[in-house]
Amino acid sequence: MTFPTQGAKLTLAAWLETHSDFRLPAHASDVKTALMTLDTSPSPVSYSAQFATLKRYFNRAVLVLMVCCALLGFMAVPSAFAMNQANQVNIFWLFLVLLGFHGLNVIVWLITMVATSKRPSDSKGVLLILLIFLNKKISKYSHFNDAVSAAYLHWQCPPHSNKWLISSLSHGAWGCYLLAGWVMTLLLLLTNQVNFAWETTLLSDAAFIQLTQTLSVIPQWFGIALPNQLDILASRVDLIQQSASTRQHWANFLLASILIYGVLPRLIFTLICVALYQITRKTHPLSTQEQIIQNRYRQPEQQSRLVLDADAYPKTLGTHNTNAKNDVLSDQAFSQQWALFEWSGEKPSQLQPVGSAVMLNSREEQARFLASPSHEAMFLLVDANQSPDRGTRRFLNQARAVHSALTLVIYQDTNSQFHDDWYRLARETNIPSNTLPKEE
């Protein structure tokens, strides 16, 4: 699939509309067509091209991280195979270097995941912080748009999925380290004759035998020849002679243990964490701005020129066209019924001829207004300096149902900020709208 996908473009567009002057075209036929603007703007390097380049840089940084961990695995094994004059290597020390710290890391990771399972965590971890730092430096060096860089990091490292992204990076890095260690161990065992030995002060011989046999349970399922009790006893550090079969059994045991208890668990954990990272990202609800963009193109604007209740409402009082934005009220309109919705200032001077203007400031007043249905002309005056909200939309929908000849009148002056919002709300609720300019 070509990157960026439509979901990535939607996230990018939402971020740009929120944090920059960029806006998607208002008259596109659908979301996909509108998002195509990201492929051509700005010139010469579009937003989509910058986004895709940042993704490519991030993937390369992850690859470099895995290669570095593999190199560490190659370098760690030879030092662990430090042999004495009798070509003996301590099997305890090999397990500590190759599997000990790996096992400790897995335990810490499991405890952390359990502790943070019921609460979100904003931690990014050392590896992810390093990758983000490199991406920011590359973005700055490449002269990419700052908003695009921030949008990419918001898309790639969302807070709700960060723990799975961090986990997949950690398990992947450890998997590369262990796989490289396994390969180096195999090469050393192929090119050197090694006598495996063990020694302990605190543990008894029986304890070491029990530990070895416990670790041998899973490898035995695959029919691998492993050390038996005689091989274990014959590998005491004070015993110099060691048969070829004993060395072979210990080599099989070491390679099988690294693969089964190290490489495979890390591979499984990596796949699980990557899957959970993708699932949590795809199932997470869209942001408010993303929903706004989708709804913007879901239902194309349709103009309606039907007159509502033409017989009950004379045409001389004003136009009932739902698209009327700047119609002038006739003098006859001021002799009809008026209501002032959530009005905080003085009554406009133009309403002096009106016999009675109902105030709709409290819930009780609005409830009485809605409880008195009428087919006579009713003008609802609102202040364009106050922003409508969801409660206003609900009231207008209810008022339209009980007052069939309702007209929304927007009272505005030259500095009104929310005239277009009121006009849009009137259009969406199918209520005719007019404008009443403020007299100087």
Side-chain angles (χ1 to χ4, degrees), residues 119-122 154-165 276-287:
R119 58 182 178 86
S121 176
D122 294 332
H154 173 74
W155 174 84
Q156 182 71 67
C157 313
H160 59 276
S161 302
N162 261 351
K163 67 177 182 179
W164 300 118
L165 177 58
L276 290 175
Y277 169 67
Q278 297 292 344
I279 291 173
T280 52
R281 287 181 58 193
K282 292 181 179 179
T283 57
H284 190 72
L286 297 177
S287 66

Side-chain angles (χ1 to χ4, degrees), residues 107-259:
I107 293 174
V108 172
W109 174 75
L110 290 173
I111 294 175
T112 302
M113 297 305 292
V114 172
T116 60
S117 60
K118 295 184 179 180
R119 58 182 178 86
S121 176
D122 294 332
S123 175
K124 291 184 171 61
V126 177
L127 296 179
L128 188 55
I129 290 177
L130 177 61
L131 293 175
I132 292 175
F133 173 79
L134 292 175
N135 238 45
K136 287 183 177 180
K137 289 298 181 182
I138 293 173
S139 176
K140 185 177 181 180
Y141 176 78
S142 302
H143 304 289
F144 286 164
N145 187 289
D146 292 339
V148 175
S149 178
Y152 172 75
L153 293 178
H154 173 74
W155 174 84
Q156 182 71 67
C157 313
H160 59 276
S161 302
N162 261 351
K163 67 177 182 179
W164 300 118
L165 177 58
I166 298 170
S167 298
S168 60
L169 291 174
S170 176
H171 291 308
W174 271 101
C176 291
Y177 171 85
L178 293 170
L179 181 60
W182 184 86
V183 172
M184 179 57 70
T185 300
L186 178 63
L187 292 176
L188 288 175
L189 293 177
L190 287 174
T191 57
N192 294 274
Q193 179 174 308
V194 179
N195 293 319
F196 294 94
W198 58 273
E199 57 182 339
T200 178
T201 301
L202 297 178
L203 299 178
S204 64
D205 292 355
F208 184 79
I209 293 174
Q210 182 62 41
L211 175 62
T212 306
Q213 291 177 342
T214 301
L215 293 175
S216 301
V217 171
I218 298 179
Q220 285 177 348
W221 296 348
F222 302 95
I224 301 174
L226 302 173
N228 54 32
Q229 186 171 347
L230 294 178
D231 292 328
I232 298 173
L233 293 176
S235 301
R236 291 271 318 208
V237 73
D238 52 349
L239 299 178
I240 299 177
Q241 297 296 328
Q242 194 172 78
S243 64
S245 62
T246 299
R247 291 193 298 269
Q248 182 68 45
H249 292 167
W250 278 116
N252 294 341
F253 175 72
L254 179 61
L255 291 171
S257 297
I258 297 174
L259 188 62

Side-chain angles (χ1 to χ4, degrees), residues 280-306:
T280 52
R281 287 181 58 193
K282 292 181 179 179
T283 57
H284 190 72
L286 297 177
S287 66
T288 302
Q289 187 61 33
E290 291 173 344
Q291 293 177 1
I292 291 174
I293 292 176
Q294 283 193 336
N295 293 333
R296 185 186 305 165
Y297 304 101
R298 185 165 294 166
Q299 296 179 347
E301 295 184 8
Q302 296 180 353
Q303 295 186 344
S304 173
R305 298 186 179 276
L306 297 177

